[in-house]
Amino acid sequence: MAVTLQNLLDDLNDRLNDTANAQASVATKTRFINYGIAATWPDLYRVVTASASIVAGTSEYPLTALAGLDARIARIEVQTTVGGAYVDAWDTSVNPTATSPLLIFRGGAPGATGCLVRATAAAKLTKLSLVTDNYDGPLGTDELPVLYAMAMCTSRPVDDRLDYKRYSTTADKNGVGVEELTGVASFWMDQYDRLLERNRMPPLGAIV
C-alpha cells in the first residue's frame, strides 16, 4: 500500500497530539518531513535507468531521464544487437551538463545503429509536495521522515512566551528546561538513526 504525504502528516500529528497544527503549521511539518527524506541519502536511494539509441558516428548521448536527479551512475551497458542482451561498457565518461548528464564513449559509437546504451544510477528519494504524493523509499522505511520531523518539532519553542513549556502540566508553570527539551528531541533523532541503520542499502557506488 502506498504511503502518501498525508499519511506521514497524520502519523506526525498523532505523535505530537497536534491535529489542529497549533505547534507547527502544515507547511513547517512538510518541510521537516522533506528534511528527513533528504537526510537518508546516500543510505537509501532509488534505482533509476536511462537509455538512448545508438546513432552511427555519435559518441555522446544525453541521459535525459536522469535530468535534475543528482544521480550517481553505477553501471553503463550496451546492447550487442537490436533488442538483444546488454553487456558492460567501458572507456566512458559523464559530463554533468546543465540540462542532463551527457554520456561520452571515448572510442566513438559503442555499437550498431538502433541498439541501446543504458545507464543505471542511484538517485535521492523524492521530495513530497502534494498530500497525494507517494513516499518512494524502500518498504518499511516510511517512519523515518516522521521520526526526523518529530525531532525538529519537539526542539522548537511553542511561541515566544512559552519557550520551554511544551511539556508543562500547567500552561504558565513548571516549564521544562532546555536540557529536557533537548533530551526529547534527541530521543526522536536516535530512533531515526537506529531505523536508518537497520535499513541501510548496499552502496551503489559511482563508476563515472
Side-chain angles (χ1 to χ4, degrees), residues 3 11 15 56 59 83 99 102 106 108 113-114 147 176 179 196:
V3 177
D11 187 0
R15 295 173 194 242
S59 60
T99 52
L102 185 65
R106 300 188 183 94
T113 299
L147 294 174
V176 300
E179 294 84 4
L196 182 59

Side-chain angles (χ1 to χ4, degrees), residues 141-208:
T141 65
D142 53 276
E143 189 182 8
L144 282 167
V146 176
L147 294 174
Y148 192 97
M150 280 296 296
M152 297 297 101
C153 287
T154 54
S155 65
R156 300 173 73 242
V158 176
D159 59 38
D160 291 338
R161 296 167 300 160
L162 302 173
D163 286 350
Y164 299 114
K165 296 177 181 175
R166 183 185 303 276
Y167 302 105
S168 175
T169 55
T170 307
D172 58 352
K173 296 179 181 179
N174 303 323
V176 300
V178 63
E179 294 84 4
E180 288 103 334
L181 194 66
T182 302
V184 172
S186 296
F187 165 81
W188 291 110
M189 190 57 72
D190 180 65
Q191 296 303 302
Y192 174 88
D193 289 338
R194 289 171 182 266
L195 184 58
L196 182 59
E197 175 65 28
R198 291 198 300 271
N199 288 277
R200 179 172 287 120
M201 299 171 69
L204 192 62
I207 61 172
V208 291

Side-chain angles (χ1 to χ4, degrees), residues 1-202:
M1 180 178 177
V3 177
T4 66
L5 173 58
Q6 186 62 62
N7 296 141
L8 299 180
L9 287 169
D10 290 344
D11 187 0
L12 178 61
N13 287 334
D14 182 62
R15 295 173 194 242
L16 285 171
N17 192 24
D18 187 37
T19 56
N21 299 309
Q23 296 188 36
S25 67
V26 174
T28 296
K29 291 173 180 175
T30 299
R31 186 171 72 251
F32 289 160
I33 284 172
N34 279 317
Y35 289 166
I37 291 173
T40 63
W41 174 260
D43 297 312
L44 302 183
Y45 52 82
R46 295 180 294 124
V47 177
V48 295
T49 60
S51 300
S53 294
I54 295 174
V55 178
T58 301
S59 60
E60 299 182 355
Y61 297 87
L63 302 174
T64 55
L66 302 184
L69 295 185
D70 189 25
R72 296 183 181 177
I73 296 175
R75 189 176 189 181
I76 297 172
E77 301 166 290
V78 178
Q79 275 185 325
T80 55
T81 59
V82 176
Y86 286 87
V87 296
D88 289 330
W90 307 102
D91 199 20
T92 61
S93 62
V94 175
N95 181 12
T97 64
T99 52
S100 59
L102 185 65
L103 177 58
I104 303 171
F105 291 88
R106 300 188 183 94
T113 299
C115 290
L116 297 178
V117 296
R118 181 174 67 186
T120 302
K124 298 176 182 179
L125 303 188
T126 306
K127 177 181 178 180
L128 306 180
S129 300
L130 304 176
V131 292
T132 54
D133 287 348
N134 291 329
Y135 172 74
D136 57 6
L139 185 66
T141 65
D142 53 276
E143 189 182 8
L144 282 167
V146 176
L147 294 174
Y148 192 97
M150 280 296 296
M152 297 297 101
C153 287
T154 54
S155 65
R156 300 173 73 242
V158 176
D159 59 38
D160 291 338
R161 296 167 300 160
L162 302 173
D163 286 350
Y164 299 114
K165 296 177 181 175
R166 183 185 303 276
Y167 302 105
S168 175
T169 55
T170 307
D172 58 352
K173 296 179 181 179
N174 303 323
V176 300
V178 63
E179 294 84 4
E180 288 103 334
L181 194 66
T182 302
V184 172
S186 296
F187 165 81
W188 291 110
M189 190 57 72
D190 180 65
Q191 296 303 302
Y192 174 88
D193 289 338
R194 289 171 182 266
L195 184 58
L196 182 59
E197 175 65 28
R198 291 198 300 271
N199 288 277
R200 179 172 287 120
M201 299 171 69

